[in-house]
Amino acid sequence: MKEGQLVVPEQVTVPFIEGDGVGSEITPVCQRIVNKAVELAYKGRRSIEWMEVLAGGKAFAQTGEWLPEATMAAFREYLVGIKGPLTTPVGGGIRSLNVALRQTLDLYVCLRPVRWFKGVVSPVKEPQKVNMHIFRENTEDIYAGIEWEQGTPEAQKLYAFLRDEMGVKKVRFPETSSFGVKPVSVEGSKRLVRSAILYALQHGLPSVTLVHKGNIMKFTEGGFKKWGYEVAEQEFGDHTFTMNQFEQLKKDLGEESARACMADAVNAGKIIVKDCICDAFLQNTLLMPEDYSVIATLNLNGDYVSDQLAAMVGGIGIAPGANINYQTGHAIFEATHGTAPNIAGKNVVNPCSLLLSSVMLLEYLGWKEAAVRITAALEKAFAQGEATPDLARFMPDGKPMGTAEFGERIVTLLLEE
């Protein structure tokens, strides 16, 4: 990073975690495709050196640690990395390797773009209307892991404090309740929303929607909504028009004048910043997905939202993801699915989640020409019914291909461009 910008050399070293389960199948396939796309796009002028680092089951087997410090050091030094799916340790120790990576490197944005590819069968009638970019806050909310199990001295102590010091009387069954704490901060909320608005501006996208449950959790989720609007109005006032402003104009001038002001803002190219309660938002994405573009939301909401939207365009097997700190430049791109041990080693797993995350990595580096080539090759394959069995079985003229064979087909399509 230099003066807030990522400076990328022509030869980039990218640390990668192969991943557990199906990770050993999808990772080499994706690396081969990316290498070929970079070679074709830049005629050998640019290249990626893949540097393996260990985490998960492979790390534990070789080092006795689930997440070695050497791995964290590599991600700190090289800034940009990628990972396959990881096993969550059973029992004690790290609660989740994915959460540990995000929190240790302060990767506060989980970015999940969701779009439909022609040829992929969807459970919704018009999947082509789904084109959203989810900014999920990555370091706070219940994923902070602050909780105490029922029956423990700690849980009893916390309840005694809530009852005696805070006057809490709403715990229905205090003796058998576990307790969790949901931290949501001004700083964490604002930096997430700030990143979402900047992304919308940089990509020419029409709106940012703050998705929350502030009608029930008024100071955490409601705070997220409030602080999000503050960012839009105080930091991006020349580029945004918020529904807060609309409501105030409606009071002052009447609804007709307020709508005219909003129309003028849209015509001027301003981004509309609005909000929606999460349960209503999930319904709306099915009924009118075209109304949403960039989504900014808290950690738990983002988990549900990203999985539903992925299902609407064909499933999590083609859903990419990235964990990013836009201030330090650190970013880890990842397969968004699990280790799938039931199909590991059978040459049937879909590599597209990791492959599309690799496309995001290339875009993050500024190597957009290579990224476009891979996306175009995938579009051609899916349009012709060529896919791994999870997708091909639903296509009218589906041609199921093994993981390795599908990878080779994408390489062939790259060469045909």
Side-chain angles (χ1 to χ4, degrees):
M1 292 290 283
K2 182 179 287 188
E3 298 178 355
Q5 298 295 321
L6 197 67
V7 180
V8 182
E10 301 285 55
Q11 283 71 46
V12 177
T13 299
V14 175
F16 75 94
I17 297 169
E18 180 183 72
D20 297 320
V22 295
S24 60
E25 296 173 80
I26 61 176
T27 295
V29 166
C30 292
Q31 289 176 348
R32 172 158 163 65
I33 293 169
V34 170
N35 288 343
K36 180 57 66 175
V38 170
E39 176 192 332
L40 293 170
Y42 306 111
K43 312 299 182 187
R45 180 168 53 87
R46 291 176 173 173
S47 63
I48 294 176
E49 177 189 354
W50 302 99
M51 181 178 76
E52 184 172 11
V53 294
L54 298 177
K58 190 173 183 179
F60 190 77
Q62 294 187 23
T63 70
E65 297 180 272
W66 290 98
L67 185 59
E69 175 53 35
T71 297
M72 297 306 306
F75 285 132
R76 288 192 192 98
E77 179 181 356
Y78 292 97
L79 296 186
V80 178
I82 193 165
K83 57 174 282 295
L86 291 175
T87 298
T88 296
V90 177
I94 294 174
R95 189 180 284 259
S96 164
L97 293 171
N98 294 322
V99 172
L101 284 166
R102 295 166 189 167
Q103 292 185 343
T104 303
L105 293 171
D106 197 24
L107 305 175
Y108 59 88
V109 168
C110 179
L111 175 57
R112 298 275 183 93
V114 182
R115 57 153 291 187
W116 178 69
F117 287 88
K118 184 178 180 180
V120 175
V121 175
S122 162
V124 298
K125 185 177 179 181
E126 297 180 292
Q128 73 278 5
K129 292 183 177 180
V130 180
N131 188 8
M132 300 184 212
H133 310 260
I134 305 156
F135 277 70
R136 169 189 173 189
E137 203 290 319
N138 230 357
T139 64
E140 299 190 317
D141 202 353
I142 63 170
Y143 286 77
I146 307 170
E147 60 176 354
W148 296 273
E149 186 178 5
Q150 68 86 21
T152 62
E154 293 83 4
Q156 294 168 358
K157 185 176 181 180
L158 178 64
Y159 175 65
F161 171 76
L162 293 172
R163 179 193 62 209
D164 300 337
E165 302 294 329
M166 304 300 289
V168 172
K169 299 179 181 179
K170 295 182 179 179
V171 181
R172 181 72 65 187
F173 303 108
E175 298 304 319
T176 57
S177 291
S178 295
F179 295 93
V181 175
K182 176 187 177 79
V184 177
S185 69
V186 175
E187 295 89 342
S189 299
K190 285 192 171 183
R191 67 180 182 174
L192 185 280
V193 175
R194 185 178 298 117
S195 298
I197 294 174
L198 282 169
Y199 186 91
L201 287 169
Q202 292 163 0
H203 293 81
L205 299 170
S207 69
V208 174
T209 304
L210 310 174
V211 174
H212 61 91
K213 192 65 179 170
N215 58 325
I216 302 298
M217 292 170 274
K218 298 183 184 300
F219 304 122
T220 51
E221 304 257 344
F224 176 81
K225 169 192 169 183
K226 173 187 171 184
W227 304 322
Y229 274 132
E230 288 177 359
V231 169
E233 294 168 3
Q234 296 170 10
E235 300 181 26
F236 298 94
D238 292 339
H239 303 286
T240 63
F241 182 88
T242 74
M243 293 309 293
N244 263 358
Q245 293 169 318
F246 174 81
E247 292 300 329
Q248 188 59 51
L249 287 169
K250 192 163 70 169
K251 288 179 183 177
D252 296 341
L253 305 174
E255 183 167 350
E256 186 176 343
S257 295
R259 291 197 178 279
C261 289
M262 184 163 65
D264 289 343
V266 171
N267 291 334
K270 288 191 175 186
I271 294 169
I272 301 300
V273 179
K274 52 191 175 179
D275 74 277
C276 189
I277 294 171
C278 191
D279 46 322
F281 173 78
L282 291 171
Q283 175 181 244
N284 292 348
T285 58
L286 292 168
L287 298 175
M288 44 190 177
E290 67 275 14
D291 284 359
Y292 299 104
S293 180
V294 177
I295 312 304
T297 191
L298 287 163
N299 213 332
L300 182 61
N301 296 335
D303 199 352
Y304 299 151
V305 165
S306 56
D307 279 9
Q308 175 181 302
L309 293 178
M312 290 167 62
V313 297
I316 202 166
I318 53 172
N323 304 287
I324 303 170
N325 184 319
Y326 286 103
Q327 297 164 342
T328 65
H330 287 96
I332 298 179
F333 300 82
E334 65 180 352
T336 60
H337 54 74
T339 58
N342 58 314
I343 59 170
K346 297 181 179 179
N347 192 39
V348 295
V349 62
N350 186 346
C352 289
S353 175
L354 189 61
L355 182 57
L356 287 167
S357 295
S358 302
V359 168
M360 293 179 69
L361 184 153
L362 291 170
E363 292 171 341
Y364 188 73
L365 295 177
W367 295 9
K368 296 181 180 178
E369 297 85 356
V372 166
R373 284 175 177 264
I374 295 173
T375 302
L378 279 175
E379 288 172 340
K380 286 182 182 178
F382 291 148
Q384 296 167 8
E386 298 170 335
T388 46
D390 59 313
L391 297 180
R393 61 181 171 168
F394 297 116
M395 296 173 171
D397 298 308
K399 306 174 185 66
M401 308 177 77
T403 308
E405 292 72 26
F406 180 74
E408 289 304 314
R409 178 57 180 155
I410 297 301
V411 169
T412 299
L413 290 171
L414 288 172
L415 292 168
E416 291 177 358
E417 291 183 29

